[in-house]
Amino acid sequence: MAAIADAAVARLAEERVDHRFKGLPPDAAGRTVGELAAERRSLFTGGFTTPVLALSAEALDHNLAVMERYSAGHGLAFAPHGKTSMAPRLFQRQLAHGAWGITAATAAQVRVYRAFGVRRIFLANEVVDAAALRWIAAELAADPGLRLITYVDSVRGVELMDATLRDAGAGRPLDVVVELGAPGGRTGVRTEADATLVADAVAATTTLRLVGVAGYEAEIPDADGELVRAWMRRLTGIAVAFDKEGRFPGVEEIVVSAGGSAWFDAVAEVLGELPTLSAPALKLLRSGAYVTHDDGQYRNKTPFNRLPEEGALQPALRLWAQVVSRPEPGMAYLNAGKRDVSYDLGLPEPQLVRSARDGSLRPAAGLTVTRLADQHAFVTLSGDTELEVGDWVGLGLSHPCTVFEKWPLIPLASADGTVTEYVRTFF
């Protein structure tokens, strides 16, 4: 199991609750997070202010178990993308559920991971920032048990990395993988010939060590199953060719990595076809959004829609907002907007209404969010839909990555609304 500093995560419970943490009970100011969690307050009657984002304890546990089972069943290692939540408590749970390590997108994210003792990190990006490279060299020198792997996709990038690491007196090489991209997509080499040039440049250094190939299939323009499988076969073909050419001397594991949250079934299928290499293959999946799933983008795109026999993910995020105005028929306004919810991949979805009169719950039938202002959601009501000022509306959300970043401390609640824990984020 990959390591995390449990003591550092435990210290998060010692942080004091104050004005920095929106949605939390004002009368909890001054208590530690641990003290507040021990009170087991109700999300609805325990003094929380609206809007308030909550995580479902049951859905979170379910999703962690589903992806652990899926990865193991397909012979895959798993390094979930930490940028989704940037929450060390969730990293700790992901690692406890068998994750090989945690994926990052930036050196700043790696710094957060290291502050909480994560020792296996896949940095799925090119790093040519001299200051970041000097810091990485120092981390590698200070911790012989740290394994950090990052992308390369250009000869010039390799030159910049090598120069900085040599100037920093790097004591051991930084592990790198050649990134394969796609024309019109994001980063990554476009051709096998370019991949070879980058691998040659790495081999000419003493500060970098080539350990495999990787990429991100979701950035293939107009991606579908056929295109993803064809791209994946190019990726594995490069790995096989590099191995035959002796480009992985002394490497303990040859890394072959891809897999976001939309096409991990196609990735798993092609990785399952990978022939035996000269060293064990680390077939590394990197899906991140699974941990909370969602009620939009990933509900529609998850491979489990195609693989119902392998399980299903559950949405674990819900934002509770309150009706603050009913100034005209057929319209209502909630006190949550762009500062509180994601809106880049779909507007929030009204799902439940909690009556301000008696606390009863009912489906949010006939309610539709049509647009967002900074602090308001515009809701249309169909027909004779009932909704009063003061009612709470539970919103399903799309794209968890852009929800988490808006909430530095998130209550974890059980199905009856009892809050048992708080999840700290670091964006």
Side-chain angles (χ1 to χ4, degrees), residues 79-104:
H81 213 315
K83 72 175 175 63
T84 298
S85 71
M86 290 304 294
R89 283 195 179 277
L90 297 188
F91 300 165
Q92 184 182 48
R93 292 189 181 196
Q94 289 170 312
L95 293 167
H97 278 269
W100 171 90
I102 305 292
T103 295

Side-chain angles (χ1 to χ4, degrees), residues 22 184 252 311 321 391:
K22 62 183 181 177
E252 302 83 9
D391 287 347

Side-chain angles (χ1 to χ4, degrees), residues 14-223:
E14 300 171 9
E15 190 168 14
R16 296 284 171 181
V17 175
D18 57 24
H19 60 277
R20 293 171 296 162
F21 306 124
K22 62 183 181 177
L24 298 194
D27 66 0
R31 289 175 174 81
T32 67
V33 171
E35 289 168 345
L36 181 57
E39 293 177 4
R40 299 177 67 85
R41 296 195 185 199
S42 167
L43 185 70
F44 305 111
T45 62
F48 291 85
T49 62
T50 56
V52 60
L53 181 70
L55 274 165
S56 163
E58 293 85 358
L60 185 65
D61 287 344
H62 172 86
N63 294 343
L64 289 166
V66 165
M67 283 305 290
E68 178 182 22
R69 186 167 57 248
Y70 180 85
S71 300
H74 289 270
L76 303 173
F78 190 32
H81 213 315
K83 72 175 175 63
T84 298
S85 71
M86 290 304 294
R89 283 195 179 277
L90 297 188
F91 300 165
Q92 184 182 48
R93 292 189 181 196
Q94 289 170 312
L95 293 167
H97 278 269
W100 171 90
I102 305 292
T103 295
T106 68
Q109 292 169 6
V110 176
R111 290 188 65 194
V112 174
Y113 300 2
R114 291 298 293 153
F116 289 89
V118 179
R119 300 185 82 186
R120 288 181 183 167
I121 300 169
F122 189 93
L123 178 47
N125 208 341
E126 283 71 22
V127 183
V128 296
D129 178 336
L133 287 165
R134 287 193 294 269
W135 176 80
I136 287 171
E139 287 293 295
L140 290 169
D143 185 357
L146 170 61
R147 184 161 190 205
L148 177 63
I149 303 167
T150 191
Y151 280 175
V152 289
D153 77 347
S154 68
V155 172
R156 176 59 177 156
V158 169
E159 291 171 351
L160 290 169
M161 296 174 77
D162 180 48
T164 298
L165 292 170
R166 280 189 286 107
D167 289 346
R172 63 180 170 117
L174 172 61
D175 285 349
V176 297
V177 290
V178 173
E179 182 194 7
L180 176 65
R186 202 166 62 184
T187 54
V189 298
R190 294 331 197 214
T191 68
E192 284 75 1
D194 288 340
T196 297
L197 290 175
V198 175
D200 287 343
V202 171
T205 75
T206 58
T207 58
L208 302 174
R209 182 176 74 146
L210 184 66
V211 297
V213 295
Y216 179 48
E217 72 290 341
E219 288 298 326
I220 300 169
D222 302 316

Side-chain angles (χ1 to χ4, degrees), residues 334-346:
L334 310 181
N335 61 347
K338 294 178 180 178
R339 301 297 179 90
D340 310 299
V341 298
S342 56
Y343 54 92
D344 56 321
L345 294 175

